[in-house]
Amino acid sequence: MRHLLSSLRHNQLNQRRITPRIYFIFCANYKPQKPQPPPAPPSPPKPPKKPVTFTHHGESWEDPYSWMSQLNDKVAMRHMDVYMEQEEKYTEAVMSDTERLQSKLQSEMGSRLSNDLSTPPLRWGPWLYYRRVEEGKQYPVLCRRLARANEDFISNKSPSAGFDFTSGKRIEQKLLDYNEEAERFGGYAYEELSEVSPDHRYLAYTMYDKDNDYFKMYVRDLNFGSLCSKPQADWVSNIAWGKGGQALLYVVTDHCKRPYRIYCSMIGSEQDDVLLLEEPSENGYVNIRRTKDFQFVTVHIFSTTSSKIFLIDAADPLSGMIPMWECEAQAHCIVEHHQGYLYLFTDAAKDGQSVDHHYLLRSPVNCSLNGRKWENIFSDDLDFVIEDVDFSDKHLVLIVRDGRNFRLCSISLPLPSVKEEIKLKELSPQFLPLPKNVSQIMPGTNYDYYSSTMRFTISSPLMPDAVVDYDLSSGKWNIVQQQNLLHERTKVLYGSSSSASFIQSPRNLSSNNEVNSESHSTWNDLSEFYACEVHNVTSYDGIIVPLTVVYSRKRKKQAENPGLLHGHGAYGEILDKRWRSELKSLLDRGWVIAYADVRGGGGGGKKWHHDGRRTKKINSIYDYIFCAKFLIEREIVQGNKLAGWGYSAGGLLVASAINSCPSLLRAAVMEVPFLDPTNTLLNPILPLTPADYEEFGYPGDINDFQAIRKYSPYDNIQKDILYPAILVTSSFNTRFGVWEAAKYVARVREYSVYDPKHPVLLNLTADIVEENRYLHCKESALETAFLIKMMES
């Protein structure tokens, strides 16, 4: 063996030796290789231009890409298919050098997904209701089990699949398997509404029929597991149970998706469903809602000019509708009933004067409309603005806002009879424990009206969403579900000694509602690794705009971090600042994530919303721009490494900001954005709601029309200017169609200075009705890789 190894080494050495003459010949004939030029960047597609001229209010404009929205033109749609395929190939070519990065990012994001998609059990009457996902299945199963036989019910997987091996009995009842529903609806299942009857006998639900683009309603008999022959209806937008579960009221829409008819169906009856109401006005919309005690069904008929509330006796739904309340403007209205009193939570004008917040009114049930008097319960308190309410038999829970901070408190019911308005603190509110940096509080379904326990979801930029049960009588609180990212698993706790349960003593109004440091860790807070700061940014007109900034404590460096600025500012909705696990990939790479709470959004009162809509939409755009400049000027992010991100109406915000200051952002991502408001609002291809016109402007009004033309992203792209790199994602199944994204991308390329380092890309995502978490990871990985590539190019 030694001889053999020696021989091998000897031969290898001989092979390496080159005699002087051979070496000379080798060098004489050697020609160094010329460096290969880098491959030419791919060329972007150029769709055909077919100019069409439009005129409105005496103003004319030309749209060369109007053909993309002609859905009934078969030739145009064939051209659109070819163009979309070209866009797909172009995006793949531009992003081809990031394939390994995308794969790594997708793996990172996928590893953070909760393995347990089951929901924590919700107790209602004698039952525990929950959804769980079976291994290898894409969609959940709706289940229930008797609470008295499952006091030690720790999670939805114990006992496995609801089988008790000790007794040999199945203790779980499957109510609805959404995997079976998917087989009926083209391979996917998307549920809009789901209501169990108050007697726990029936389940009414609606499923999306993609082929016909509407929701179909079904009723399932839970005793037998079979579908009822009736009621079954198409175009259903709303449902409410009556008569203890023997009657079902439902709202249907017309073919423009306007809710306009209310029907009542008697379960088990062979008679036709009874039409209770038909709203003839094309601007009138109908909505129904049951009170939590199931005693009444409220009917809300609203338009841009009025709101009316009617009351239906749930015990006798065919007895007629009693007028209860009305106002001369569209208003948000929620009605509840408690021990002979009706409570109205609304933001309608008071005494003809607009208000900046919601308030709570009370009136006895047994009053005529003319003789009905509504008393205001709480006096106006600028320190504590009521954002939302929830009722139980013995408690009223209020989500209040202290400035921009959210708090949660409960008050014992019934409320005292008072002749004058009282302040909240006079009712001895009990403030409930919350973590730091709360960005949103969302009430759960809380079906059990007679339970002292209420469920809420608590959101924070530094914490995965926590589902919390608060026992309002004892002061105990349980975190029943929250993902623990430190262990990359989901923590599901319910009613066990290991749950995060604490006795919370009643707190007065002046006390802090944050949990003390000893119990703070129970929230799976990530503040040890990431920081959250809120800055006050002065906009162009002196208004202060809140700017929330999140970053990694370990990787933050002055003026060296890339940044991503989120924006929305529409419909009065709170900007989504929840912890999103996909953003962890950017935070851990040193990115700063910022959120601009611009005018037009929520969290600042009604005036804050109104100051960013219609003719004042430009305010939200300037607010976003000044927040971006603040990040750069304060050296929170590096000057040439700031990107923008916007979803839907947030895409409009970001695109409009780019038109105003093309050099401000290095890159931008816009998901299913609203980019062509002029044409969409004038000639809606897909149905729009009154809220859309109230938000963006009504083109029939000349002032609104002129404002739309000024902020419209598609109509204000600057010529011969270098634009940032842009990635637009869209889908054929979105309110703002793919043609808007395609038109915008084509015009930006046509007008702006071409630079392959600043590509403008269009990416078509899968159907938005498909709830596929891993596909979402893939698309998020593409967006993240795009941002990283643009910052490093």
Side-chain angles (χ1 to χ4, degrees):
M1 179 64 73
R2 184 180 303 169
H3 176 73
L4 176 61
L5 291 175
S6 301
S7 300
L8 286 173
R9 281 196 296 269
H10 180 73
N11 291 335
Q12 289 169 354
L13 290 172
N14 286 337
Q15 289 173 6
R16 293 195 194 104
R17 295 189 186 120
I18 301 177
T19 63
R21 178 168 177 76
I22 295 174
Y23 180 75
F24 173 78
I25 295 172
F26 175 78
C27 293
N29 290 281
Y30 175 72
K31 292 183 179 180
Q33 294 268 339
K34 292 183 179 180
Q36 295 294 322
S43 299
K46 290 185 178 180
K49 297 168 66 175
K50 304 174 184 179
V52 178
T53 301
F54 297 91
T55 302
H56 193 68
H57 285 305
E59 181 178 344
S60 297
W61 66 95
E62 191 177 83
D63 186 355
Y65 303 111
S66 177
W67 63 268
M68 294 183 182
S69 62
Q70 305 303 312
L71 303 185
N72 295 324
D73 187 332
K74 293 182 179 179
V75 175
M77 290 302 98
R78 281 199 293 269
H79 288 171
M80 191 66 168
D81 287 341
V82 172
Y83 174 47
M84 290 297 98
E85 187 174 348
Q86 292 173 347
E87 289 289 357
E88 184 179 11
K89 291 180 179 178
Y90 176 62
T91 299
E92 288 178 355
V94 171
M95 297 297 295
S96 61
D97 60 342
T98 67
E99 288 181 359
R100 292 184 64 183
L101 175 60
Q102 288 184 55
S103 179
K104 184 177 186 337
L105 289 167
Q106 188 175 351
S107 177
E108 289 176 13
M109 296 172 183
S111 69
R112 299 185 200 114
L113 293 177
S114 167
N115 293 324
D116 189 354
L117 293 179
S118 304
T119 61
L122 177 69
R123 184 162 188 163
W124 180 21
W127 294 97
L128 292 169
Y129 289 89
Y130 55 96
R131 297 172 190 248
R132 63 175 179 82
V133 177
E134 298 177 335
E135 188 173 352
K137 299 291 184 67
Q138 181 176 356
Y139 297 102
V141 180
L142 177 62
C143 305
R144 72 180 178 186
R145 58 183 72 186
L146 286 170
R148 69 172 183 272
N150 296 272
E151 294 296 337
D152 296 327
F153 186 24
I154 305 302
S155 75
N156 304 324
K157 294 183 176 180
S158 176
S160 177
F163 190 83
D164 187 349
F165 290 95
T166 304
S167 63
K169 295 180 180 179
R170 181 168 295 279
I171 57 177
E172 176 186 81
Q173 180 186 3
K174 287 186 179 181
L175 306 181
L176 185 61
D177 189 335
Y178 293 95
N179 297 285
E180 295 177 359
E181 294 295 311
E183 295 178 4
R184 296 200 297 144
F185 289 96
Y188 65 89
Y190 181 71
E191 177 190 76
E192 176 78 1
L193 305 169
S194 178
E195 289 280 348
V196 176
S197 62
D199 59 358
H200 304 273
R201 170 74 187 272
Y202 299 101
L203 170 69
Y205 63 103
T206 62
M207 301 297 298
Y208 182 65
D209 186 334
K210 180 184 175 184
D211 294 335
N212 297 298
D213 191 26
Y214 58 62
F215 285 91
K216 299 174 71 74
M217 182 189 72
Y218 300 95
V219 175
R220 189 173 292 272
D221 189 327
L222 302 183
N223 284 358
F224 299 99
S226 58
L227 286 174
C228 298
S229 58
K230 66 177 293 290
Q232 291 188 12
D234 300 332
W235 300 89
V236 174
S237 65
N238 232 194
I239 55 178
W241 285 103
K243 210 170 183 179
Q246 295 304 307
L248 181 65
L249 288 76
Y250 60 94
V251 177
V252 299
T253 71
D254 60 17
H255 288 265
C256 291
K257 297 186 179 180
R258 177 181 69 91
Y260 77 120
R261 285 179 178 171
I262 304 176
Y263 287 93
C264 178
S265 177
M266 296 298 174
I267 307 299
S269 171
E270 296 298 326
Q271 297 180 355
D272 292 339
D273 297 349
V274 178
L275 177 63
L276 300 183
L277 171 75
E278 180 172 357
E279 172 56 37
S281 171
E282 293 183 357
N283 297 321
Y285 291 71
V286 176
N287 183 62
I288 62 173
R289 180 183 178 275
R290 66 165 178 85
T291 57
K292 292 192 69 175
D293 60 3
F294 284 97
Q295 292 199 29
F296 297 97
V297 174
T298 59
V299 179
H300 187 191
I301 304 174
F302 62 94
S303 67
T304 55
T305 58
S306 68
S307 287
K308 297 179 182 179
I309 302 289
F310 296 85
L311 209 60
I312 296 177
D313 185 353
D316 188 7
L318 302 181
S319 62
M321 299 189 303
I322 303 170
M324 192 190 76
W325 185 83
E326 62 180 293
C327 68
E328 295 181 351
Q330 182 179 342
H332 178 242
C333 304
I334 297 292
V335 177
E336 276 300 343
H337 172 256
H338 184 270
Q339 296 185 10
Y341 280 92
L342 295 171
Y343 289 83
L344 174 63
F345 184 63
T346 183
D347 61 353
K350 281 185 181 179
D351 302 321
Q353 298 295 319
S354 178
V355 297
D356 194 35
H357 50 77
H358 284 75
Y359 54 94
L360 193 62
L361 300 174
R362 178 172 67 173
S363 176
V365 172
N366 299 321
C367 290
S368 64
L369 178 62
N370 295 331
R372 183 176 298 280
K373 292 184 178 179
W374 291 92
E375 60 178 7
N376 197 26
I377 297 175
F378 302 114
S379 60
D380 293 340
D381 189 343
L382 298 179
D383 293 332
F384 292 94
V385 177
I386 302 175
E387 290 288 325
D388 205 352
V389 298
D390 203 350
F391 279 81
S392 71
D393 183 42
K394 299 222 181 329
H395 295 91
L396 167 64
V397 176
L398 305 172
I399 299 175
V400 298
R401 180 168 49 82
D402 176 5
R404 287 275 176 172
N405 300 315
F406 290 95
R407 303 179 71 178
L408 191 61
C409 70
S410 69
I411 299 170
S412 297
L413 291 177
L415 294 176
S417 298
V418 292
K419 295 182 180 179
E420 297 180 356
E421 300 173 7
I422 57 177
K423 289 195 173 183
L424 179 60
K425 65 181 180 181
E426 296 176 31
L427 293 174
S428 302
Q430 176 176 307
F431 279 79
L432 304 174
L434 295 173
K436 293 181 179 179
N437 305 303
V438 171
S439 61
Q440 196 169 3
I441 302 173
M442 294 170 287
T445 49
N446 295 324
Y447 281 115
D448 203 335
Y449 179 69
Y450 298 99
S451 172
S452 63
T453 299
M454 280 197 182
R455 179 167 294 178
F456 294 85
T457 299
I458 313 299
S459 299
S460 163
L462 295 183
M463 181 189 80
D465 282 359
V467 181
V468 187
D469 278 355
Y470 294 96
D471 190 326
L472 306 177
S473 296
S474 66
K476 290 183 178 180
W477 56 287
N478 293 341
I479 300 176
V480 296
Q481 187 175 59
Q482 186 184 25
Q483 187 178 7
N484 187 340
L485 286 174
L486 300 180
H487 298 89
E488 304 291 355
R489 63 183 177 84
T490 296
K491 176 177 164 186
V492 181
L493 303 170
Y494 195 86
S496 71
S497 59
S498 61
S499 66
S501 179
F502 298 89
I503 300 295
Q504 186 67 23
S505 59
R507 297 167 179 244
N508 58 39
L509 196 63
S510 61
S511 64
N512 193 324
N513 69 322
E514 293 176 355
V515 185
N516 61 46
S517 59
E518 293 181 356
S519 60
H520 187 66
S521 60
T522 62
W523 292 93
N524 287 333
D525 186 273
L526 300 171
S527 56
E528 179 183 350
F529 309 99
Y530 307 99
C532 178
E533 300 173 356
V534 179
H535 300 271
N536 292 324
V537 178
T538 303
S539 192
Y540 77 104
D541 55 357
I543 296 297
I544 301 300
V545 180
L547 176 66
T548 303
V549 177
V550 181
Y551 57 88
S552 167
R553 294 185 185 276
K554 182 179 179 181
R555 296 185 176 272
K556 181 71 173 70
K557 296 180 180 179
Q558 191 78 4
E560 294 185 18
N561 298 78
L564 182 64
L565 179 59
H566 290 245
H568 177 61
Y571 299 102
E573 295 176 354
I574 295 174
L575 178 63
D576 186 2
K577 298 189 286 287
R578 295 176 300 162
W579 172 267
R580 289 166 48 195
S581 61
E582 63 266 27
L583 292 179
K584 187 175 185 294
S585 294
L586 287 176
L587 288 170
D588 292 346
R589 287 172 170 80
W591 282 63
V592 171
I593 309 297
Y595 303 88
D597 278 299
V598 304
R599 279 171 282 186
K606 204 170 178 180
K607 186 177 186 303
W608 188 263
H609 172 213
H610 287 183
D611 283 348
R613 67 185 182 99
R614 299 188 73 158
T615 57
K616 297 181 180 180
K617 191 67 187 172
I618 198 71
N619 285 339
S620 64
I621 298 165
Y622 280 126
D623 290 350
Y624 184 86
I625 291 171
F626 273 72
C627 284
K629 290 181 177 179
F630 180 91
L631 291 171
I632 296 170
E633 291 168 359
R634 293 295 181 93
E635 298 187 335
I636 298 172
V637 301
Q638 189 171 332
N640 62 341
K641 289 193 175 182
L642 178 62
W645 190 94
Y647 171 81
S648 189
L652 180 148
L653 178 74
V654 174
S656 297
I658 291 173
N659 285 342
S660 297
C661 299
S663 62
L664 185 61
L665 300 178
R666 176 76 167 268
V669 174
M670 307 173 201
E671 290 189 2
V672 290
F674 184 27
L675 298 170
D676 188 17
T678 301
N679 293 299
T680 296
L681 294 171
L682 264 176
N683 303 295
I685 298 171
L686 300 176
L688 299 176
T689 68
D692 295 320
Y693 293 111
E694 284 296 303
E695 191 62 38
F696 302 107
Y698 180 61
D701 182 290
I702 188 169
N703 294 324
D704 280 4
F705 174 74
Q706 291 173 350
I708 293 167
R709 294 286 295 162
K710 287 180 180 178
Y711 74 70
S712 170
Y714 180 66
D715 296 307
N716 291 282
I717 298 166
Q718 293 195 40
K719 293 185 178 181
D720 302 324
I721 297 291
L722 180 64
Y723 263 51
I726 298 173
L727 171 62
V728 181
T729 70
S730 191
S731 166
F732 284 101
N733 290 293
T734 175
R735 292 179 64 239
F736 305 125
V738 68
W739 52 88
E740 287 202 13
K743 289 170 64 176
Y744 172 81
V745 164
R747 180 167 274 187
V748 170
R749 291 186 188 139
E750 177 189 353
Y751 282 4
S752 64
V753 173
Y754 174 70
D755 183 347
K757 293 184 178 180
H758 289 227
V760 180
L761 308 178
L762 175 60
N763 179 53
L764 284 184
T765 65
D767 297 339
I768 61 172
V769 294
E770 285 194 76
E771 296 178 341
N772 189 318
R773 301 188 309 154
Y774 296 99
L775 182 59
H776 176 72
C777 282
K778 181 178 180 181
E779 291 166 356
S780 295
L782 172 66
E783 294 176 9
T784 305
F786 169 80
L787 291 170
I788 294 173
K789 173 183 169 72
M790 294 306 112
M791 292 304 168
E792 294 179 350
S793 63

